[in-house]
Amino acid sequence: MIDELPEDWYRRFEFKIGVASKEQLPVDAYREVAFAGRSNVGKSSVINKIVSRRNLARTSKSPGRTRELNYFSYDEKTFIVDLPGYGYAKVDNPTKHAWTKLLNHYLEERSSLRGIFLIVDIRHPLKNFDQAMLEYCGANNLALHIILNKSDKLSINNANKAMTDIKEEIREIDASIQMFSALKGIGVEIARHKLAEWLFD
Ligand code: GDP
């Protein structure tokens, strides 16, 4: 089915719904890939680059949407989901609790979920949130693709070394991994290919 995709398939995602409670989740019968990452790793920039739209993922940053699972639909049966970024200082505990619960529910129960794109900053990879996500993926048998964003901030040698170190650190985990720069457009085709494989193959 990948062969039959329109050439500009990745440009066709549109904002569908922000989900703040599990009752609002779309019917769990199709295919979706979720993007996760701590705040400020460049998750919105990575999504925008992959879908080749300057502002699509900005929707997730509008007031009121930062704690939601934001659905972008390709054709009403195929979605990418922008998960809330961790690390927002100004969230009170009950809210944090509700959204952690929603996220946990989502990661544990969602049958439509084909895999997670975990965005990390190549200079500061695999913090606690990332480790927790790795564990979730392992425990729930979820496919994982790690995007090392901001690779433009390192020399080629240091970026390669960082990638080798991370591969070593996660050698027991079944994950694919790639270099990326939302700023320079590095790694975009690899990411699109992975996304297409999970959404359409
Ligand atoms: P989010 O909070 O994870 O969604 O992050 P944003 O997409 O808002 O990006 C956070 C900051 O990192 C912004 O200032 C971006 O311009 C910057 N940024 C994002 N991706 C890159 C990248 O690949 N390289 C560089 N140098 N900066 C980036």
Side-chain angles (χ1 to χ4, degrees), residues 38-45 58 61 149-150 152-153 181-183:
R38 288 177 298 120
S39 44
N40 221 35
V41 294
K43 178 160 59 78
S44 308
S45 307
R58 286 282 162 252
K61 296 200 153 184
N149 191 36
K150 305 197 185 183
D152 59 277
K153 296 241 186 200
S181 163
L183 186 73

Side-chain angles (χ1 to χ4, degrees), residues 57-162:
R58 286 282 162 252
T59 319
S60 307
K61 296 200 153 184
S62 58
R65 296 232 177 276
T66 54
R67 293 154 206 176
E68 298 177 348
L69 280 66
N70 288 299
Y71 272 74
F72 299 91
S73 98
Y74 174 78
D75 64 357
E76 302 296 320
K77 293 186 172 182
T78 313
F79 304 94
I80 56 182
V81 186
D82 188 359
L83 301 180
Y86 272 53
Y88 294 102
K90 288 188 216 130
V91 177
D92 55 85
N93 272 332
T95 312
K96 204 170 207 166
H97 188 59
W99 124 59
T100 308
K101 262 170 68 178
L102 173 63
L103 202 52
N104 290 358
H105 166 83
Y106 177 79
L107 294 171
E108 284 165 16
E109 307 285 338
R110 191 77 179 162
S111 306
S112 308
L113 184 57
R114 312 304 286 209
I116 304 271
F117 273 36
L118 178 62
I119 322 300
V120 302
D121 183 325
I122 192 165
R123 299 164 303 165
H124 322 282
L126 307 186
K127 302 278 188 195
N128 285 350
F129 165 73
D130 307 317
Q131 296 287 359
M133 197 54 87
L134 298 184
E135 277 165 32
Y136 256 113
C137 289
N140 296 296
N141 242 335
L142 270 172
L144 180 65
H145 183 65
I146 300 175
I147 291 200
L148 305 177
N149 191 36
K150 305 197 185 183
S151 61
D152 59 277
K153 296 241 186 200
L154 298 179
S155 67
I156 292 179
N157 275 349
N158 284 343
N160 282 332
K161 182 172 183 316

